[in-house]
PDB file of all heavy atoms in Angstrom:
ATOM      1  N   MET H   1      25.593  -4.227 193.222  1.00 58.00           N
ATOM      2  CA  MET H   1      27.041  -4.053 193.193  1.00 58.00           C
ATOM      3  C   MET H   1      27.578  -4.474 191.825  1.00 58.00           C
ATOM      4  O   MET H   1      27.123  -5.437 191.241  1.00 58.00           O
ATOM      5  CB  MET H   1      27.692  -4.878 194.302  1.00 58.00           C
ATOM      6  CG  MET H   1      29.196  -4.752 194.329  1.00 58.00           C
ATOM      7  SD  MET H   1      29.940  -5.821 195.557  1.00 58.00           S
ATOM      8  CE  MET H   1      30.632  -4.588 196.617  1.00 58.00           C
ATOM      9  N   ASP H   2      28.553  -3.751 191.350  1.00 91.00           N
ATOM     10  CA  ASP H   2      29.185  -4.025 190.072  1.00 91.00           C
ATOM     11  C   ASP H   2      30.131  -5.220 190.206  1.00 91.00           C
ATOM     12  O   ASP H   2      30.887  -5.313 191.174  1.00 91.00           O
ATOM     13  CB  ASP H   2      29.942  -2.769 189.642  1.00 91.00           C
ATOM     14  CG  ASP H   2      30.506  -2.859 188.248  1.00 91.00           C
ATOM     15  OD1 ASP H   2      30.213  -3.825 187.531  1.00 91.00           O
ATOM     16  OD2 ASP H   2      31.269  -1.950 187.878  1.00 91.00           O
ATOM     17  N   ALA H   3      30.111  -6.104 189.218  1.00 94.00           N
ATOM     18  CA  ALA H   3      30.952  -7.299 189.263  1.00 94.00           C
ATOM     19  C   ALA H   3      32.414  -7.015 188.901  1.00 94.00           C
ATOM     20  O   ALA H   3      33.308  -7.753 189.316  1.00 94.00           O
ATOM     21  CB  ALA H   3      30.395  -8.365 188.324  1.00 94.00           C
ATOM     22  N   ILE H   4      32.671  -5.960 188.150  1.00 95.00           N
ATOM     23  CA  ILE H   4      34.029  -5.687 187.669  1.00 95.00           C
ATOM     24  C   ILE H   4      35.044  -5.566 188.802  1.00 95.00           C
ATOM     25  O   ILE H   4      36.103  -6.198 188.746  1.00 95.00           O
ATOM     26  CB  ILE H   4      34.056  -4.462 186.724  1.00 95.00           C
ATOM     27  CG1 ILE H   4      33.315  -4.814 185.433  1.00 95.00           C
ATOM     28  CG2 ILE H   4      35.482  -4.021 186.429  1.00 95.00           C
ATOM     29  CD1 ILE H   4      33.127  -3.652 184.476  1.00 95.00           C
ATOM     30  N   PRO H   5      34.775  -4.783 189.864  1.00 94.00           N
ATOM     31  CA  PRO H   5      35.769  -4.706 190.942  1.00 94.00           C
ATOM     32  C   PRO H   5      36.038  -6.059 191.622  1.00 94.00           C
ATOM     33  O   PRO H   5      37.174  -6.341 192.019  1.00 94.00           O
ATOM     34  CB  PRO H   5      35.159  -3.719 191.943  1.00 94.00           C
ATOM     35  CG  PRO H   5      34.150  -2.953 191.175  1.00 94.00           C
ATOM     36  CD  PRO H   5      33.669  -3.866 190.089  1.00 94.00           C
ATOM     37  N   LEU H   6      35.014  -6.893 191.727  1.00 95.00           N
ATOM     38  CA  LEU H   6      35.204  -8.210 192.343  1.00 95.00           C
ATOM     39  C   LEU H   6      36.142  -9.065 191.499  1.00 95.00           C
ATOM     40  O   LEU H   6      37.054  -9.718 192.018  1.00 95.00           O
ATOM     41  CB  LEU H   6      33.869  -8.924 192.497  1.00 95.00           C
ATOM     42  CG  LEU H   6      32.713  -8.185 193.170  1.00 95.00           C
ATOM     43  CD1 LEU H   6      31.483  -9.078 193.242  1.00 95.00           C
ATOM     44  CD2 LEU H   6      33.095  -7.704 194.533  1.00 95.00           C
ATOM     45  N   ILE H   7      35.923  -9.052 190.195  1.00 96.00           N
ATOM     46  CA  ILE H   7      36.740  -9.843 189.272  1.00 96.00           C
ATOM     47  C   ILE H   7      38.168  -9.299 189.261  1.00 96.00           C
ATOM     48  O   ILE H   7      39.141 -10.052 189.324  1.00 96.00           O
ATOM     49  CB  ILE H   7      36.117  -9.832 187.868  1.00 96.00           C
ATOM     50  CG1 ILE H   7      34.736 -10.503 187.907  1.00 96.00           C
ATOM     51  CG2 ILE H   7      37.033 -10.510 186.860  1.00 96.00           C
ATOM     52  CD1 ILE H   7      33.856 -10.218 186.705  1.00 96.00           C
ATOM     53  N   HIS H   8      38.286  -7.994 189.211  1.00 94.00           N
ATOM     54  CA  HIS H   8      39.606  -7.363 189.197  1.00 94.00           C
ATOM     55  C   HIS H   8      40.375  -7.666 190.485  1.00 94.00           C
ATOM     56  O   HIS H   8      41.586  -7.947 190.447  1.00 94.00           O
ATOM     57  CB  HIS H   8      39.453  -5.853 188.989  1.00 94.00           C
ATOM     58  CG  HIS H   8      40.744  -5.173 188.719  1.00 94.00           C
ATOM     59  ND1 HIS H   8      41.376  -4.391 189.645  1.00 94.00           N
ATOM     60  CD2 HIS H   8      41.544  -5.172 187.620  1.00 94.00           C
ATOM     61  CE1 HIS H   8      42.512  -3.942 189.141  1.00 94.00           C
ATOM     62  NE2 HIS H   8      42.637  -4.393 187.918  1.00 94.00           N
ATOM     63  N   ASP H   9      39.697  -7.618 191.629  1.00 94.00           N
ATOM     64  CA  ASP H   9      40.344  -7.964 192.903  1.00 94.00           C
ATOM     65  C   ASP H   9      40.885  -9.385 192.886  1.00 94.00           C
ATOM     66  O   ASP H   9      41.990  -9.652 193.367  1.00 94.00           O
ATOM     67  CB  ASP H   9      39.369  -7.816 194.075  1.00 94.00           C
ATOM     68  CG  ASP H   9      39.139  -6.377 194.478  1.00 94.00           C
ATOM     69  OD1 ASP H   9      39.856  -5.484 193.971  1.00 94.00           O
ATOM     70  OD2 ASP H   9      38.238  -6.150 195.297  1.00 94.00           O
ATOM     71  N   ALA H  10      40.102 -10.305 192.341  1.00 96.00           N
ATOM     72  CA  ALA H  10      40.545 -11.697 192.273  1.00 96.00           C
ATOM     73  C   ALA H  10      41.772 -11.830 191.380  1.00 96.00           C
ATOM     74  O   ALA H  10      42.716 -12.554 191.706  1.00 96.00           O
ATOM     75  CB  ALA H  10      39.417 -12.592 191.767  1.00 96.00           C
ATOM     76  N   MET H  11      41.787 -11.112 190.262  1.00 96.00           N
ATOM     77  CA  MET H  11      42.946 -11.151 189.365  1.00 96.00           C
ATOM     78  C   MET H  11      44.197 -10.635 190.076  1.00 96.00           C
ATOM     79  O   MET H  11      45.272 -11.221 189.958  1.00 96.00           O
ATOM     80  CB  MET H  11      42.679 -10.330 188.102  1.00 96.00           C
ATOM     81  CG  MET H  11      41.709 -10.974 187.154  1.00 96.00           C
ATOM     82  SD  MET H  11      41.392  -9.897 185.741  1.00 96.00           S
ATOM     83  CE  MET H  11      40.612 -11.068 184.619  1.00 96.00           C
ATOM     84  N   LYS H  12      44.072  -9.546 190.820  1.00 95.00           N
ATOM     85  CA  LYS H  12      45.215  -8.995 191.555  1.00 95.00           C
ATOM     86  C   LYS H  12      45.695  -9.970 192.621  1.00 95.00           C
ATOM     87  O   LYS H  12      46.889 -10.077 192.874  1.00 95.00           O
ATOM     88  CB  LYS H  12      44.843  -7.656 192.189  1.00 95.00           C
ATOM     89  CG  LYS H  12      44.729  -6.525 191.191  1.00 95.00           C
ATOM     90  CD  LYS H  12      44.648  -5.169 191.849  1.00 95.00           C
ATOM     91  CE  LYS H  12      43.527  -5.084 192.840  1.00 95.00           C
ATOM     92  NZ  LYS H  12      43.324  -3.732 193.382  1.00 95.00           N
ATOM     93  N   LYS H  13      44.771 -10.664 193.254  1.00 95.00           N
ATOM     94  CA  LYS H  13      45.120 -11.619 194.308  1.00 95.00           C
ATOM     95  C   LYS H  13      45.896 -12.808 193.723  1.00 95.00           C
ATOM     96  O   LYS H  13      46.822 -13.317 194.354  1.00 95.00           O
ATOM     97  CB  LYS H  13      43.842 -12.097 194.995  1.00 95.00           C
ATOM     98  CG  LYS H  13      44.062 -12.905 196.217  1.00 95.00           C
ATOM     99  CD  LYS H  13      44.364 -12.017 197.392  1.00 95.00           C
ATOM    100  CE  LYS H  13      44.304 -12.828 198.665  1.00 95.00           C
ATOM    101  NZ  LYS H  13      44.770 -12.079 199.802  1.00 95.00           N
TER     102      LYS H  13
END
Side-chain angles (χ1 to χ4, degrees):
M1 180 184 244
D2 187 7
I4 292 173
L6 309 181
I7 297 164
H8 190 254
D9 284 351
M11 287 177 165
K12 287 192 305 187
K13 189 80 169 172

